Amino acid sequence: MTDKNLLKIAQEFGTPTYVYEAESIKTQYQKLTDSFTKNTRFFYAAKSLTNINILKYIKSLGASLDCVSINEVKLGLRAGFTVDRILFTPNCVDFSEIEEAVALKVHVNIDNISILEQFGTKYGNSYPIFVRINPHIFAGGNYKISTGHIDSKFGISIHQLRHIERVMKSTNLCVNGLHMHTGSEIKDVDVFVQGLEILFEISEHFPYLKYLDMGSGFKVPYQDGDLETDVKSLGKKVEKVLSDFEKESGRNLELWFEPGKFLVSESGHFIVNSNVIKPTTATTFVGINSGFNHLIRPMFYDSYHKIENLSNPKGAERIYTVVGNICETDTFAWDRKLNEVREGDVLVFRNAGAYGFEMSSNFNSRLKPAEVLWLDGKAHLIRRRDEFEDLLRNQIEVL
Ligand SMILES: *Cc1c(COP(=O)(O)O)cnc(C)c1O
């Protein structure tokens, strides 16, 4: 889609609005399927963007679904994913949520010894499960999004293998999958290979093993010069170690991945309007009709999102600090070169598909943005903008 299309969407639906390009999701999915030729399945990490239309579209591409809450599981079922194509990977949930997933018959991934014991005691070998291993590899773009390191709350430590074995033995538990997810934004494909080798090493302790799930960590470029995870090279390396393992062990395992960001990040364009241009003694602020209540990544992770001026693309380049309208520091970007911004211009944040709308809130009693899907050359409204009444929904007026 073109910037003209985005401007038209801004006119038709107003701003702030998230726009998702279906074609881009398809391109990213095909990059993955082209890079891995055998025995590999991709489970879209729903939490990056759960609009039901996105889930349905991704299902139509042939992907499976990774869910971190029981509600994501239910959204997946609503979108038409079959139970065999849904993996439930929660952490720190009550056992009843796991029971609910079992009742729905989806794959269940367990990430602590306590639940493992409760699960084995209740279900024995009647319901095969995954175990999430923490391999203690430090990987990922930064500490907040790294999940495999020693301080991380995720997974069962690889050093607790003996304990897992004890639980399996005393409860007759059947583990048919091992899972690891070491973090987000991994550039170095050897980190995946290293992780895979760790899973190979412990695989002999799991006689019923069918699946190895490598989680995610696929990186996408956010700024010029950034690299995308080289999935082609990853595919080659992984296939080599996998076939070596198969020869040595005589076992044939299916490999799973859980890309979120890789599939939907670049599909997303977040369009906003500039409200106020405010020169101060130190900088020139552009105040927009949004804030960290709509896109929190820059403030939460120090993430960089490319910003462009769609309605004055030929304007002279000036340097701005782009801020939101929230009563709290919400700076999207310092010292950013943009084509001259006038009050009322339409700006776009690129790469806003993943963890954008999904992490939005009603802070400051502001309304959540609309969502639009660009499919087959047409704009489809897939979520209405919040209305004032939405702020009061669920409130009970007792005074
Ligand atoms: C968040 C998450 C993912 C997806 O991570 P991305 O960086 O968006 O690809 C995959 N698996 C699990 C278990 C996750 O929690």
Side-chain angles (χ1 to χ4, degrees):
M1 72 183 306
T2 63
D3 288 351
K4 280 221 171 75
N5 298 141
L6 286 173
L7 276 171
K8 245 181 126 191
I9 290 172
Q11 256 170 19
E12 188 178 347
F13 300 99
T15 68
T17 295
Y18 277 95
V19 183
Y20 312 114
E21 225 177 313
E23 194 65 28
S24 154
I25 301 176
K26 189 183 198 172
T27 304
Q28 291 299 96
Y29 184 70
Q30 283 171 348
K31 268 189 211 168
L32 291 173
T33 50
D34 289 350
S35 303
F36 295 81
T37 49
K38 60 171 198 182
N39 271 359
T40 312
R41 272 160 76 181
F42 298 95
F43 286 66
Y44 167 56
K47 75 170 188 284
S48 54
L49 178 57
T50 54
N51 186 292
I52 193 81
N53 300 281
I54 298 292
L55 297 181
K56 285 182 182 178
Y57 182 74
I58 287 179
K59 183 196 154 272
S60 78
L61 299 175
S64 302
L65 195 70
D66 182 54
C67 303
V68 293
S69 73
I70 197 71
N71 292 326
E72 283 186 1
V73 170
K74 291 176 187 169
L75 285 172
L77 291 169
R78 169 82 76 97
F81 288 90
T82 54
V83 291
D84 177 52
R85 292 194 162 271
I86 296 179
L87 172 65
F88 180 43
T89 301
N91 83 93
C92 297
V93 296
D94 188 77
F95 189 62
S96 59
E97 202 169 315
I98 307 261
E99 291 172 314
E100 218 180 325
V102 170
L104 292 171
K105 299 193 166 64
V106 299
H107 296 284
V108 172
N109 187 2
I110 291 179
D111 106 317
N112 64 79
I113 296 279
S114 165
I115 297 274
L116 197 67
E117 241 180 64
Q118 294 175 62
F119 194 96
T121 305
K122 172 146 188 187
Y123 299 104
N125 63 1
S126 70
Y127 200 93
I129 45 146
F130 277 65
V131 172
R132 178 171 188 168
I133 301 288
N134 184 338
H136 303 306
I137 300 174
F138 182 83
N142 66 50
Y143 201 73
K144 271 194 199 158
I145 55 178
S146 176
T147 53
H149 57 79
I150 193 84
D151 289 333
S152 169
K153 68 167 179 167
F154 295 101
I156 302 177
S157 167
I158 188 120
H159 305 304
Q160 286 175 291
L161 184 59
R162 192 71 199 103
H163 202 160
I164 299 173
E165 274 190 302
R166 284 217 156 84
V167 176
M168 288 196 300
K169 185 140 184 262
S170 29
T171 64
N172 216 10
L173 202 54
C174 171
V175 174
N176 70 353
L178 289 177
H179 171 275
M180 66 192 290
H181 170 65
T182 53
S184 201
E185 302 199 351
I186 302 169
K187 270 179 276 193
D188 179 5
V189 297
D190 289 329
V191 169
F192 287 96
V193 177
Q194 200 187 337
L196 195 54
E197 278 169 343
I198 291 177
L199 294 188
F200 287 157
E201 263 169 47
I202 62 170
S203 64
E204 62 190 51
H205 300 268
F206 300 90
Y208 307 109
L209 204 58
K210 284 161 70 176
Y211 314 110
L212 291 180
D213 185 337
M214 300 296 294
S216 180
F218 296 107
K219 186 180 160 44
V220 294
Y222 279 91
Q223 27 184 333
D224 294 337
D226 261 6
L227 293 178
E228 182 172 282
T229 301
D230 183 351
V231 291
K232 270 234 136 45
S233 141
L234 176 65
K236 281 207 189 94
K237 287 189 181 188
V238 160
E239 252 155 46
K240 166 93 177 63
V241 290
L242 192 59
S243 72
D244 287 352
F245 168 78
E246 282 171 356
K247 270 184 227 137
E248 260 169 52
S249 66
R251 303 176 82 172
N252 211 332
L253 302 177
E254 196 176 284
L255 201 59
W256 293 6
F257 287 101
E258 303 166 346
K261 189 176 281 185
F262 190 83
L263 291 180
V264 298
S265 177
E266 284 169 305
S267 81
H269 309 268
F270 182 43
I271 48 178
V272 300
N273 270 100
S274 76
N275 280 343
V276 174
I277 309 296
K278 180 175 181 177
T280 66
T281 44
T283 183
T284 302
F285 287 105
V286 175
I288 62 173
N289 63 346
S290 180
F292 75 72
N293 53 324
H294 296 159
L295 178 63
I296 202 174
R297 298 188 74 257
M299 302 81 183
F300 197 46
Y301 303 120
D302 284 327
S303 312
Y304 182 103
H305 283 265
K306 207 171 189 180
I307 306 171
E308 283 164 88
N309 186 347
L310 293 179
S311 50
N312 191 21
K314 299 239 158 73
E317 282 191 335
R318 311 279 304 265
I319 296 169
Y320 297 99
T321 297
V322 181
V323 295
N325 57 4
I326 291 298
C327 285
E328 171 64 77
T329 305
D330 64 339
T331 307
F332 288 103
W334 289 102
D335 303 331
R336 199 60 81 78
K337 231 185 244 171
L338 302 173
N339 298 108
E340 181 169 9
V341 184
R342 306 153 305 181
E343 293 180 355
D345 269 336
V346 179
L347 308 186
V348 62
F349 289 81
R350 305 293 187 186
N351 260 34
Y355 310 106
F357 183 89
E358 216 49 39
M359 293 174 88
S360 65
S361 74
N362 289 112
F363 188 43
N364 280 203
S365 294
R366 295 210 169 269
L367 308 178
K368 286 199 192 183
E371 290 179 293
V372 165
L373 179 65
W374 181 257
L375 177 67
D376 300 329
K378 274 205 222 71
H380 305 264
L381 185 66
I382 56 172
R383 182 192 296 268
R384 265 188 290 278
R385 187 178 307 292
D386 267 3
E387 293 168 353
F388 174 73
E389 281 303 317
D390 292 318
L391 299 176
L392 287 163
R393 179 159 304 146
N394 294 333
Q395 292 195 42
I396 300 166
E397 288 190 70
V398 295
L399 298 179

